[in-house]
PDB file of all heavy atoms in Angstrom:
ATOM      1  N   SER A  16      16.427  81.904 -24.846  1.00 93.00           N
ATOM      2  CA  SER A  16      16.503  83.312 -25.248  1.00 93.00           C
ATOM      3  C   SER A  16      16.418  83.324 -26.786  1.00 93.00           C
ATOM      4  O   SER A  16      16.233  82.274 -27.413  1.00 93.00           O
ATOM      5  CB  SER A  16      17.840  83.939 -24.787  1.00 93.00           C
ATOM      6  OG  SER A  16      18.946  83.326 -25.444  1.00 93.00           O
ATOM      7  N   ASN A  32       4.406  40.507 -34.300  1.00 97.00           N
ATOM      8  CA  ASN A  32       3.912  39.841 -35.526  1.00 97.00           C
ATOM      9  C   ASN A  32       3.865  38.349 -35.286  1.00 97.00           C
ATOM     10  O   ASN A  32       4.821  37.745 -34.809  1.00 97.00           O
ATOM     11  CB  ASN A  32       4.809  40.157 -36.698  1.00 97.00           C
ATOM     12  CG  ASN A  32       4.446  39.342 -37.919  1.00 97.00           C
ATOM     13  OD1 ASN A  32       5.064  38.303 -38.169  1.00 97.00           O
ATOM     14  ND2 ASN A  32       3.455  39.794 -38.676  1.00 97.00           N
ATOM     15  N   ARG A  63      13.947  55.665 -29.359  1.00 97.00           N
ATOM     16  CA  ARG A  63      14.720  56.619 -30.120  1.00 97.00           C
ATOM     17  C   ARG A  63      14.625  58.021 -29.444  1.00 97.00           C
ATOM     18  O   ARG A  63      13.517  58.461 -29.145  1.00 97.00           O
ATOM     19  CB  ARG A  63      14.231  56.739 -31.565  1.00 97.00           C
ATOM     20  CG  ARG A  63      15.082  57.639 -32.450  1.00 97.00           C
ATOM     21  CD  ARG A  63      14.584  57.622 -33.884  1.00 97.00           C
ATOM     22  NE  ARG A  63      15.402  58.423 -34.756  1.00 97.00           N
ATOM     23  CZ  ARG A  63      15.272  59.729 -34.959  1.00 97.00           C
ATOM     24  NH1 ARG A  63      14.319  60.380 -34.280  1.00 97.00           N
ATOM     25  NH2 ARG A  63      16.073  60.397 -35.766  1.00 97.00           N
ATOM     26  N   TYR A  86      17.825  52.347 -29.073  1.00 97.00           N
ATOM     27  CA  TYR A  86      17.986  50.989 -28.602  1.00 97.00           C
ATOM     28  C   TYR A  86      16.829  50.163 -29.177  1.00 97.00           C
ATOM     29  O   TYR A  86      15.658  50.541 -29.046  1.00 97.00           O
ATOM     30  CB  TYR A  86      17.960  50.900 -27.058  1.00 97.00           C
ATOM     31  CG  TYR A  86      18.140  49.516 -26.529  1.00 97.00           C
ATOM     32  CD1 TYR A  86      19.388  48.953 -26.357  1.00 97.00           C
ATOM     33  CD2 TYR A  86      17.007  48.733 -26.185  1.00 97.00           C
ATOM     34  CE1 TYR A  86      19.554  47.686 -25.864  1.00 97.00           C
ATOM     35  CE2 TYR A  86      17.167  47.451 -25.706  1.00 97.00           C
ATOM     36  CZ  TYR A  86      18.440  46.926 -25.544  1.00 97.00           C
ATOM     37  OH  TYR A  86      18.594  45.640 -25.071  1.00 97.00           O
ATOM     38  N   ALA A 192      35.469  64.647 -39.184  1.00 97.00           N
ATOM     39  CA  ALA A 192      35.486  66.099 -38.976  1.00 97.00           C
ATOM     40  C   ALA A 192      35.861  66.780 -40.289  1.00 97.00           C
ATOM     41  O   ALA A 192      36.559  66.192 -41.113  1.00 97.00           O
ATOM     42  CB  ALA A 192      36.454  66.476 -37.845  1.00 97.00           C
ATOM     43  N   TYR A 212      38.186  64.629 -42.752  1.00 97.00           N
ATOM     44  CA  TYR A 212      38.877  63.463 -42.141  1.00 97.00           C
ATOM     45  C   TYR A 212      37.797  62.503 -41.664  1.00 97.00           C
ATOM     46  O   TYR A 212      36.849  62.864 -40.998  1.00 97.00           O
ATOM     47  CB  TYR A 212      39.724  63.897 -40.958  1.00 97.00           C
ATOM     48  CG  TYR A 212      40.270  62.762 -40.142  1.00 97.00           C
ATOM     49  CD1 TYR A 212      41.415  62.054 -40.501  1.00 97.00           C
ATOM     50  CD2 TYR A 212      39.619  62.372 -38.934  1.00 97.00           C
ATOM     51  CE1 TYR A 212      41.886  61.019 -39.753  1.00 97.00           C
ATOM     52  CE2 TYR A 212      40.110  61.318 -38.188  1.00 97.00           C
ATOM     53  CZ  TYR A 212      41.223  60.632 -38.608  1.00 97.00           C
ATOM     54  OH  TYR A 212      41.713  59.573 -37.836  1.00 97.00           O
TER      55      TYR A 212
END
Side-chain angles (χ1 to χ4, degrees):
S16 66
N32 172 264
R63 185 177 184 275
Y86 181 84
Y212 170 82

